[in-house]
């Protein structure tokens, strides 16, 4: 054990002295994780995007439309522009005709037009026009998601009005009024209140949907349902889309709004994307680091270092074990460091399951170490080892899902991916960090990683001995 | 100290050591002289337990050398033929690693490191990375890395390849001092000057076989002549060299011919021929032959061929 410790310490000192190796192992992946975080829109802070210029033209006299404009103003993500700049600091209201040239001039990339017929007579739903220059796809998605959120959560009575208008067209005026009146009377009978007031509320399009997402401010507006206000949507441990218990309209709406936030705004810190991004780059650069240190086997053989070590009271087994422990140690430190960086950048919940994370990282590092030994075992020299490892690491990272989700790839590639260390390591990271699996639930993945390690190590040691690496 | 009994080692079809028997006494400085590929390093690796022989036995102080038994190796120090050091680490860090592998630690290890660095004049460079050392400095460090644990038998495999004269002298002085202190040394080289200077007994080895073994004087008596005659290689002397072909061997190296006469050749005949060609006697110097001549006599080749 003392011999192994000395050898591991030596490997660590050797690694730390090699600045290129250190930065390739730690700094480069952190930089890439940061850069790709921007690409995937993970870097937005909790307040989300802010100050995206948004042209707004309101051609409707419907009070709901004015409310919608106010709601857009209130959304910090947008900087709402409703005026057109004239010479001499004068302004006039923005018109629909101004929008297209303005977008072309890049004054803003998004505009909303609320037309006169925002509530249509002949169709259910709202009529809005959204003009955009989608030069930045992520931004377009963010903006359209935010618009949906504002519309759904702030002015649901516009939708109600639309339903009312449709009902009116369908039933005819007399029967429509009758229907609303009997509805209001039924409500007043069951829940109390003034039937005339309720009927007016219904005709204004308020179906109570706004009450579901806002605290009831006006007690005169009675709720149509009798469920308590929806609890604040707290994502239950790990799973994003936990169904709320009673399937009611209010829950349905709060859930809809919440889902929009997660997918579009990318606020969800535990998103599988961040875990995948960090885990993917981490495992790829770990493979590079470890196969690099395995290529150094050839130097150690050629310079007679193995001879020197083995002529001391050191056995081959101790030499191999020391490399194995060193690989695991390097891997653990590197993976944990990168996940900590992921925690700083994207709030990945590293400490929530730290013990399990350590176990998965150790198993992944062991598998990567066996891969490094395999490279040294099957290559005739250091150059070949470097070439082969670069090739294999790239292929394994691509097919194993380190760069993008496996689901984006053709099925046969997904199948290949399942044979890689990368795939199973990523599965392990996702299982711990995203799904919050318990140790017992992790056992299958750990088993696969341990299996890979054992088989690949056995083949490598057999081959290393066969080609007299340690003589 | 070290005994080899009919040791044979093959690499596939190639026989690197062929039925070699040797006995090296405690306190000896034993030379292994032979050209590249003679089997010197192979012998070293067998003696240090890195490989097992295909036939025969090796013992150190009576105990069999076994790759499986690392504890038997504490009596032994190996200076590999190449510079077996961690380039990225400092001199001191390297020594610390190798010392610890032999179980040294603490004050004792520190004292040994200080002492040995001093002995080869590297004390002031102890914190520098080995990759910034000159070839000679690396060789000196390569040597002391095998000595920290104070072995009783030191195997030096061509420890001076590619070093400057100053480093070579430092290495020689240190080895001589250690040898006087009782250390048994096996020193392999293809430089006959080194073997001549350092070693009490020398084995001449070629193609895995020991061709001759003995002290320098014993080896020289194997030659059929007692003196060889050297003269500059010029167009005028080339004619003489050509005439002498049947009377002995002409070796031409570094602008000089050396004439090694056959046993029955009389030197008066040599000078008569030179005079006939009009070559003045001051061109010629008689000298005691070297191990080079012995090797040539035994193999028909020079050591550097
Ligand atoms: N590991 C090896 N595999 C195959 N052949 C080898 C190996 N090591 C040495 N040889 C061959 O064995 C012979 C003796 O080599 P070596 O002991 O290194 O000679 P020396 O040290 O005297 O130069 C050479 O022909 C060399 O090519
Ligand atoms: Mg050699």
């Amino acid at each position: 054990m003392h011999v192994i410790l000395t050898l591991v310490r030596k490997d660590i000192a050797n690694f730390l002295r090699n600045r290129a190796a250190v930065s390739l192992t730690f700094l480069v992946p952190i930089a890439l994780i940061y850069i790709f975080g921007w690409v995937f829109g993970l870097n937005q802070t909790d307040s989300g995007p802010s100050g995206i210029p948004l042209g707004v033209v309101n051609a409707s006299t419907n009070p709901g439309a004015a409310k919608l404009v106010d709601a857009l103003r209130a959304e910090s993500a947008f900087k709402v522009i409703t005026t057109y700049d004239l010479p001499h600091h004068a302004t006039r209201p923005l018109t629909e005709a101004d929008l297209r040239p303005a977008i072309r001039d890049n004054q803003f990339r998004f505009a909303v037009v609320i037309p006169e017929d925002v509530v249509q007579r002949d169709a259910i739903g709202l009529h809005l026009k959204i003009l955009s220059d989608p030069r930045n796809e992520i931004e377009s998605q963010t903006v359209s998601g935010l618009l949906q959120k504002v519309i759904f959560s702030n002015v649901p009575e516009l939708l109600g009005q639309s339903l009312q208008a449709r009902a009116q067209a369908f039933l005819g005026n007399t029967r429509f009024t009758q229907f609303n009146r009997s509805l209001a009377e039924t409500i007043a009978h069951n829940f109390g209140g003034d039937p005339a007031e309720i009927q007016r509320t219904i005709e204004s399009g308020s179906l109570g949907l706004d009450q579901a997402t806002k605290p009831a401010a006006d007690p005169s507006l009675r709720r149509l349902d009798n469920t308590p206000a929806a609890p604040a949507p707290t994502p239950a441990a790990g799973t994003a889309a936990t169904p709320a218990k009673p399937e009611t309209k209010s829950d349905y709406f709060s859930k809809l709004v919440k889902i929009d936030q997660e997918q579009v705004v990318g606020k969800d810190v535990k998103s599988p994307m961040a875990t995948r991004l960090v885990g993917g780059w981490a495992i790829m650069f770990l493979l590079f680091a470890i196969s690099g240190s395995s290529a150094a086997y050839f130097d150690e053989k050629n310079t007679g270092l193995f001879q020197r070590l083995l002529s001391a009271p050191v056995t081959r087994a101790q030499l191999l074990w020391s490399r194995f422990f060193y690989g695991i140690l390097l891997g653990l430190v590197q993976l944990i460091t990168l996940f900590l960086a992921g925690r700083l950048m994207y709030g990945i919940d590293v400490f929530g399951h730290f013990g399990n994370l350590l176990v998965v990282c150790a198993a992944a590092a062991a598998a990567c170490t066996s891969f490094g030994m395999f490279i040294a075992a099957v290559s005739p020299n250091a150059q070949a080892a470097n070439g082969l490892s670069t090739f294999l690491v790239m292929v394994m990272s691509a097919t194993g899902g380190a760069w993008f989700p496996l689901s984006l790839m053709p099925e046969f590639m997904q199948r290949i991916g399942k044979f890689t260390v990368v795939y199973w390591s990523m599965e392990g990271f996702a299982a711990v960090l995203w799904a919050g699996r318990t140790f017992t639930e992790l056992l299958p993945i750990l088993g696969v990683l341990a299996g890979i390690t054992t088989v690949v190590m056995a083949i490598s040691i057999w081959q290393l001995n066969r080609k007299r690496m340690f003589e | 100290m070290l005994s080899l009994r009919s040791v044979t080692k093959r690499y596939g079809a190639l026989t690197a050591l062929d039925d070699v028997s040797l006995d090296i006494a405690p306190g000896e400085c034993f030379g292994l002289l032979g050209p590249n590929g003679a089997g010197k390093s192979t012998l070293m690796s067998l003696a240090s337990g890195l490989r097992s022989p295909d036939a025969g036995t090796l013992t150190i102080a009576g105990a069999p050398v076994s790759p499986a038994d690392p504890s038997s190796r504490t009596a032994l120090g190996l200076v590999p033929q190449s510079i077996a050091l961690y380039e990225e680490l400092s001199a001191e860090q390297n020594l610390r690693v190798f010392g610890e592998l032999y179980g040294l630690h603490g004050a004792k290890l520190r004292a040994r490191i200080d002492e040995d660095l001093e002995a080869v004049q590297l004390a002031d460079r102890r914190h520098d990375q080995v990759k910034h050392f000159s070839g000679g400095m690396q060789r000196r460090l390569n040597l002391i890395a095998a000595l920290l644990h104070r072995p009783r038998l030191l195997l030096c495999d061509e420890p001076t390849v590619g070093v400057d004269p100053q480093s070579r002298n430092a290495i020689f002085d240190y080895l001589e001092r250690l040898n006087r202190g009782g250390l048994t040394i096996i020193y392999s080289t293809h430089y006959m000057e080194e073997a001549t200077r350092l070693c009490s007994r020398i084995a001449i080895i070629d193609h895995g076989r020991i061709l001759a073994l003995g002290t320098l004087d014993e080896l020289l008596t194997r030659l059929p002549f007692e003196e060889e005659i050297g003269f500059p290689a010029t167009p005028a002397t080339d004619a003489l060299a050509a005439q002498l072909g049947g009377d002995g061997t002409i070796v031409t190296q570094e602008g000089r011919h050396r004439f090694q006469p056959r046993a029955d050749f009389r030197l008066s005949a040599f000078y008569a021929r030179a005079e006939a060609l009009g070559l003045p006697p001051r061109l010629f110097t008689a000298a005691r032959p070297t191990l080079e001549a012995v090797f040539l006599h035994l193999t028909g080749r020079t050591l550097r061929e």
Side-chain angles (χ1 to χ4, degrees), chain B residues 260-283:
Chain B
Q260 298 169 345
R262 278 208 323 258
D264 55 350
F265 185 75
R266 288 174 180 280
L267 281 184
S268 53
F270 175 90
Y271 287 108
R273 287 214 179 120
E275 207 177 338
L277 288 167
L279 298 168
R282 62 179 164 77
L283 285 180

Side-chain angles (χ1 to χ4, degrees), chain B residues 232-243:
Chain B
T234 63
T237 59
D238 285 348
L240 175 64
Q243 284 187 14

Side-chain angles (χ1 to χ4, degrees), chain B residues 9-220:
Chain B
K9 176 71 191 174
R10 295 187 199 90
Y11 299 115
L14 184 124
T15 303
L17 281 183
D18 190 0
D19 193 22
V20 170
S21 295
L22 267 183
D23 277 296
I24 291 154
E28 230 186 330
C29 183
F30 186 89
L32 271 179
L33 179 65
N36 279 332
K40 304 183 295 294
S41 296
T42 301
L43 196 154
M44 296 287 192
S45 71
L46 293 175
S48 54
L50 296 173
R51 297 187 173 115
S52 313
D54 294 311
T57 55
L58 291 98
T59 53
I60 291 180
V65 175
S66 155
D69 177 15
S71 67
S72 70
R73 292 180 221 145
T74 47
L76 183 122
L78 172 68
V79 183
Q81 179 172 352
S82 43
I83 292 171
L85 299 167
Y86 295 100
E87 288 205 318
E88 300 283 343
L89 302 186
S90 70
E92 186 176 322
Q93 279 178 311
N94 268 281
L95 295 178
R96 192 163 282 282
V97 170
F98 299 125
E100 283 177 5
L101 290 179
Y102 284 98
L104 295 171
H105 51 83
K108 189 169 174 187
L109 176 58
R110 267 198 305 278
R112 293 266 174 94
I113 290 175
D114 292 345
E115 187 185 333
D116 288 5
L117 283 171
E118 202 67 58
V120 293
Q121 290 119 48
L122 285 176
D124 53 334
R125 300 293 301 271
R126 62 192 302 154
H127 297 301
D128 293 0
Q129 276 176 293
V130 169
K131 67 175 174 194
H132 299 310
F133 279 18
S134 72
M137 290 160 67
Q138 292 181 344
R139 282 284 169 197
R140 283 182 267 157
L141 189 61
N142 202 37
L143 171 67
I144 58 173
L147 286 165
L148 285 171
H149 63 292
R150 302 293 179 257
R152 285 179 294 143
L153 173 63
L154 182 68
L155 305 169
C156 293
D157 196 359
E158 309 209 28
T160 62
V161 172
V163 308
D164 52 293
Q166 186 200 343
S167 289
R168 178 180 298 221
N169 277 328
I171 289 173
F172 284 3
D173 290 346
Y174 191 43
L175 286 176
E176 278 168 341
R177 213 166 81 208
L178 292 167
N179 186 229
R180 279 197 301 276
L183 177 67
T184 311
I185 298 174
I186 303 180
Y187 189 101
S188 94
T189 181
H190 63 268
Y191 298 118
M192 50 110 193
E193 302 89 342
E194 295 192 342
T196 310
R197 169 171 169 185
L198 278 177
C199 302
S200 44
R201 282 199 308 154
I202 297 160
I204 293 179
I205 179 171
D206 191 31
H207 295 311
R209 288 173 167 276
I210 292 188
L211 302 180
L213 194 162
T215 62
L216 178 62
D217 287 333
E218 284 165 2
L219 290 173
L220 289 178

Side-chain angles (χ1 to χ4, degrees), chain A residues 143-204:
Chain A
V143 167
S144 66
L146 278 168
L147 283 174
Q148 281 180 40
K149 181 187 128 187
V150 170
I151 292 162
F152 281 129
S153 61
N154 288 290
V155 282
E157 69 256 48
L158 282 176
L159 277 173
Q161 283 181 18
S162 155
L163 286 173
Q164 286 278 302
R166 191 84 186 107
Q168 191 172 12
F170 186 68
L171 296 171
N173 234 336
T174 330
R175 278 157 73 199
F176 173 66
T177 316
Q178 257 171 21
F179 170 76
N180 276 346
R181 185 180 308 130
S182 55
L183 191 61
E185 275 163 2
T186 310
I187 293 168
H189 179 74
N190 285 316
F191 300 100
D194 174 11
E197 180 84 356
I198 294 172
Q199 186 179 351
R200 224 180 53 240
T201 310
I202 292 173
E203 277 164 5
S204 78

Side-chain angles (χ1 to χ4, degrees), chain A residues 49 51-57 72 77-82 94 98-100 102-113 129-147:
Chain A
I52 299 173
L54 178 72
V56 175
V57 173
L72 287 171
F78 295 129
K79 190 178 130 225
V80 170
I81 299 166
T82 52
L94 199 65
D98 301 328
L99 293 177
R100 284 176 185 83
I103 287 176
R104 258 180 231 116
D105 291 354
N106 203 20
Q107 289 173 28
F108 38 79
R109 284 196 289 278
F110 302 93
V112 179
V113 178
K129 276 192 212 165
I130 296 177
L131 288 75
S132 71
D133 168 10
R135 69 177 60 183
N136 177 336
E137 241 172 87
I138 304 250
E139 187 186 52
S140 309
Q141 283 173 20
T142 308
V143 167
S144 66
L146 278 168
L147 283 174

